[in-house]
Amino acid sequence: MKNLTIDVVALLPALLPIGAVIVVLVVDLVTPRLRAVPWGIAAAAALGVVATAGLSLVRADSNGGGGATLCLTGQPGGGATTDRLPDLQGLPATCFWHADALGSTLQLAAGLAALVCIGLAWPRSGARMPGATQAPVEAVLLLTALSGTVVVAASRDLGTWLIALELATLPVIALVALSGRRAAVAGAVQLLVTSLVSFALLALGAALWFTATGSPFLTPDAAVSPGGGQVTYSSVTAGLISLSVVLILAGIGFKLSLVPFHAWTPTAYAGSSTAVATFLATVSKIAALAALLVVVRAVAALGAPALVAVGLLAALSMTLGNLMALRQDDVIRLLAWSTVAQAGWVVMPLVSVSTLGATSSATYLLTYVVATLVAFAVVALTVRESAASGRSLAAYEGLWHRSRWRAGALAIALTSLAGLPPGVIGLVGKVVALRPVVVEGWVWLAVIAAVNAVLGVAVYLRWLRPVVTVTRTSDQPVAATAGPGHRPAIVAVLALAAAVLVVLSIQPDLLLRLLG
């Protein structure tokens, strides 16, 4: 008989959003007409995820291993309670949940990004209004996707990993379609179709992993010792594991918006509300990379050679994303194609199937996420003031002279994405991402990355130029000032995200230390 240790504290980042979903549903039964209450509960849950993930990060730093729980007999779980489960006899001794420094940092970032998205979605008024019934649905879907993101970052068994990854994706499809507009439905349909294809590839990859290793766990031990050492490691086993990783990479490529799996991205972003587009660009990308890193870190123990497929996907994504972004006048579509380009930078370090590649990839993702949150928050504020025209580049002309604090926030976000001062953290992220490429000797990929770094500068300076441009025509429209209660939530989350970005640009080593 084997024992299962459960550490409730380590599970709190996942339990809080699930508990908040239940609370939102119950509160909606009691007070169904209050629009702000579900979002308040969701914001509290997101703050709880940030706090508990931060606690897990501190514990990971103190004990050197991280918050492992749901562990079978003989494994370090640090749990407070133990349940005896006689039906676990056939499983190898390992942990189903392992939130180490990298996983906890990704959970913390997901909570912070979700909090910003909640602020962007905050209703214009807390009063009772006829459209209030949609608020609980949106809050529940967002919290469900957040819980999936948190779980996938720490899951170590195939079943939980696969279900959590889809749990982080499917609610977002509903969020995209919820507005009912034609563009939103088109984006949701494209996202649904690609998600189904993605799931098929992921399921096939998971099946090949189990076939090759004989283990339901995504751990280095399972990769190194197939079947717990009872199966001989052979070239066939190595081939199956490699094919499994390639299929998983393709499946996650849809969620990361990598070329050629990117077609849904501009349509879904353009059809979504600003808050949902922000969620797609940040939290969903954290979930996808977290899932990929679980697999990469498992096979890193094999000393696997660099993946050619990763290099090709990275090069194609950078190039096409930047070239298409240069043609956009709609800032949401520009940010959508920016996501495609930045996804190439995110996966590029994974040409080195190693711990260095994994941490470098996570570092770049987090720099991208924080800068993108600031950019989307500025867009949301501009859209609230200028309606649909706030999505065009022309709406930002002379922004520096109308609102310097907002223009400054946008400037540091765009320079971070471009890898230019004063967005120093973006430059650090690009250097860190290039390091594994240089170590592995991928000269051609480093050259393509350098060319795309220059293209990226052109993309973001194209948006930044009208911000500082002085228009001397006397009839230039001035952005209207939003009424009371319309902007405080957006201003608050913009200030929060901008403060984090400024701190990281001043002290980029803080992020590097968080990721170990």
Side-chain angles (χ1 to χ4, degrees), residues 133-494:
T133 54
Q134 191 167 304
V137 177
E138 294 174 340
V140 165
L141 290 172
L142 187 146
L143 286 170
T144 304
L146 175 60
S147 66
T149 302
V150 170
V151 172
V152 79
S155 59
R156 291 297 182 270
D157 65 289
L158 281 171
T160 305
W161 176 85
L162 193 57
I163 293 172
L165 183 54
E166 292 310 304
L167 191 64
T169 304
L170 295 179
V172 186
I173 300 174
L175 280 173
V176 173
L178 207 55
S179 68
R181 293 181 293 112
R182 184 181 299 242
V185 173
V189 169
Q190 282 199 17
L191 185 53
L192 176 61
V193 171
T194 54
S195 293
L196 292 175
V197 176
S198 168
F199 180 77
L201 292 172
L202 290 170
L204 183 56
L208 286 175
W209 176 275
F210 184 76
T211 301
T213 64
S215 171
F217 293 99
L218 291 163
T219 60
D221 287 343
V224 172
S225 302
Q230 299 175 4
V231 179
T232 304
Y233 196 89
S234 65
S235 59
V236 175
T237 302
L240 285 175
I241 291 177
S242 298
L243 181 58
S244 170
V245 173
V246 169
L247 287 171
I248 289 172
L249 174 63
I252 294 178
F254 283 104
K255 304 178 190 300
L256 278 174
S257 300
L258 290 171
V259 174
F261 315 113
H262 68 287
W264 63 270
T265 308
T267 307
Y269 278 42
S272 305
S273 66
T274 309
V276 174
T278 307
F279 196 91
L280 276 170
T282 56
V283 181
S284 294
K285 297 301 178 280
I286 293 173
L289 184 68
L292 183 57
L293 292 184
V294 170
V295 177
V296 169
R297 297 170 80 189
V299 299
L302 298 176
L307 294 175
V308 177
V310 172
L312 291 175
L313 290 177
L316 288 172
S317 298
M318 289 182 205
T319 306
L320 182 62
N322 282 324
L323 291 176
M324 292 301 296
L326 279 170
R327 302 177 55 189
Q328 306 304 315
D329 290 320
D330 183 307
V331 294
I332 297 295
R333 284 188 171 273
L334 188 152
L335 287 170
W337 286 108
S338 167
T339 297
V340 175
Q342 299 291 346
W345 282 93
V346 168
V347 301
M348 183 178 66
L350 298 181
V351 293
S352 173
V353 186
S354 63
T355 302
L356 173 62
T359 54
S360 298
S361 181
T363 300
Y364 193 88
L365 175 74
L366 295 182
T367 62
Y368 155 77
V369 163
V370 178
T372 301
L373 285 173
V374 175
F376 267 109
V378 173
V379 171
L381 199 54
T382 307
V383 169
R384 281 280 179 101
E385 292 180 343
S386 308
S389 63
R391 289 193 171 204
S392 67
L393 286 175
Y396 299 85
E397 193 166 345
L399 181 62
W400 176 257
H401 303 280
R402 301 198 309 269
S403 177
R404 294 200 172 185
W405 72 272
R406 198 192 315 172
L410 182 59
I412 194 170
L414 296 179
T415 53
S416 294
L417 290 171
L420 296 173
V424 177
I425 187 63
L427 177 60
V428 171
K430 281 184 166 53
V431 172
V432 170
L434 279 168
R435 185 183 174 194
V437 178
V438 175
V439 168
E440 292 285 346
W442 289 66
V443 178
W444 66 269
L445 184 56
V447 170
I448 292 176
V451 171
N452 276 281
V454 176
L455 282 175
V457 170
V459 168
Y460 300 112
L461 289 187
R462 180 170 172 264
W463 186 357
L464 191 57
R465 183 185 61 80
V467 172
V468 297
T469 298
V470 180
T471 304
R472 301 189 180 278
T473 55
S474 58
D475 57 346
Q476 179 185 343
V478 179
T481 302
H486 286 202
R487 299 190 301 167
I490 300 180
V491 172
V493 295
L494 172 57

Side-chain angles (χ1 to χ4, degrees), residues 53-67 98-102 104:
L55 177 60
S56 295
L57 185 57
V58 171
R59 295 174 70 189
D61 288 337
S62 62
N63 63 30
H98 188 199
D100 55 7
L102 179 57
S104 296

